[in-house]
Amino acid sequence: EDKVVQSPLSLVVHEGDTVTLNCSYEVTNFRSLLWYKQEKKAPTFLFMLTSSGIEKKSGRLSSILDKKELFSILNITATQTGDSAIYLCAVHTPYNNNDMRFGAGTRLTVKP
Amino acid sequence: DAGVIQSPRHEVTEMGQEVTLRCKPISGHNSLFWYRQTMMRGLELLIYFNNNVPIDDSGMPEDRFSAKMPNASFSTLKIQPSEPRDSAVYFCASRLTGSHNGGYTFGSGTRLTVV
């Protein structure tokens, strides 16, 4: 059965800390892995990763995919209170029934 | 573009009542997805449509749930009769099949409370 596992499930840090969120997956017919940030309501898109070893970066956030070891990490440097959110990892599997399998998410809390 | 539009934003109903959630996808997107989010189960895919046709409804929890997409710009998710365990946030998302940019666009969700 396809699965996407995120860790840790929750994390509490202080402003300025660097955090690494993990996402491992076991799916058939992998196409891409996506990271979303969910604050109050709908998830907002962060990154889409399709190739191993190529880092994607946006400001203080970066992410990389390892297709051999079947995982991805999302790094946030110099965290701010505004980074507090649930970070969702999802794997796009267009040939499977579920099309897009989400992990349960990591709840990040950044304290001032 | 106004994005994916869901209505209502909040719904409180009594057990046994019928509930209808609505979604207007982004114009030009040909895939539409209904998700349910709860603390216990995270974000679950309920059903998705491609070109208005239901492709996979295996995530629909039971016969009380039904979804329709009568045209490319509108979809409904109906629960009849509703139960307290249906309380959750229901998200609609759309995308352009084959797009390699950005994946999905989510609506703001409908928070359903069944008492």
Side-chain angles (χ1 to χ4, degrees):
Chain A
E1 183 184 335
D2 291 351
K3 60 182 179 181
V4 176
V5 179
Q6 291 187 246
S7 64
L9 293 182
S10 66
L11 188 57
V12 180
V13 300
H14 288 92
E15 274 191 317
D17 289 349
T18 293
V19 298
T20 299
L21 310 183
N22 303 290
C23 176
S24 64
Y25 62 91
E26 289 180 28
V27 300
T28 52
N29 299 310
F30 172 92
R31 173 176 278 187
S32 59
L33 184 144
L34 297 92
W35 284 97
Y36 289 86
K37 177 183 181 182
Q38 182 177 14
E39 294 178 87
K40 294 197 172 158
K41 280 280 190 175
T44 53
F45 171 78
L46 293 175
F47 298 110
M48 183 171 76
L49 304 160
T50 55
S51 302
S52 273
I54 299 175
E55 183 182 71
K56 292 225 173 167
K57 203 168 169 63
S58 176
R60 296 176 294 103
L61 277 66
S62 63
S63 184
I64 198 161
L65 173 68
D66 186 328
K67 289 169 75 172
K68 183 179 176 185
E69 299 298 329
L70 307 183
F71 78 92
S72 173
I73 58 172
L74 175 67
N75 278 322
I76 309 174
T77 58
T79 52
Q80 302 171 358
T81 55
D83 296 326
S84 296
I86 294 174
Y87 289 86
L88 292 166
C89 169
V91 175
H92 189 198
T93 60
Y95 303 110
N96 277 356
N97 288 337
N98 231 353
D99 191 69
M100 193 122 157
R101 171 81 65 170
F102 279 85
T106 293
R107 181 179 291 277
L108 174 66
T109 303
V110 181
K111 293 190 170 182
Chain B
D1 195 319
V4 175
I5 299 172
Q6 290 187 245
S7 64
R9 295 293 297 273
H10 303 274
E11 176 80 44
V12 181
T13 190
E14 289 186 339
M15 182 172 68
Q17 296 297 307
E18 177 180 298
V19 175
T20 300
L21 312 181
R22 297 172 177 79
C23 176
K24 177 176 165 48
I26 288 178
S27 177
H29 281 190
N30 59 348
S31 293
L32 182 142
F33 304 79
W34 282 101
Y35 291 89
R36 176 173 68 175
Q37 184 174 27
T38 62
M39 289 297 291
M40 294 292 291
R41 299 173 69 93
L43 197 65
E44 304 170 278
L45 176 64
L46 300 177
I47 184 171
Y48 78 93
F49 296 84
N50 203 36
N51 295 318
N52 311 341
V53 176
I55 301 302
D56 180 20
D57 65 355
S58 60
M60 296 284 261
E62 48 198 273
D63 291 346
R64 298 183 297 106
F65 285 69
S66 62
K68 292 182 180 179
M69 192 165 186
N71 56 61
S73 59
F74 183 65
S75 177
T76 59
L77 177 67
K78 186 179 292 187
I79 308 173
Q80 166 64 17
S82 57
E83 296 181 3
R85 61 193 167 116
D86 301 330
S87 298
V89 179
Y90 290 81
F91 286 108
C92 175
S94 71
R95 69 181 175 99
L96 182 62
T97 303
S99 169
H100 294 284
N101 298 319
Y104 292 71
T105 301
F106 282 81
S108 296
T110 295
R111 181 174 290 279
L112 172 65
T113 303
V114 183
V115 297

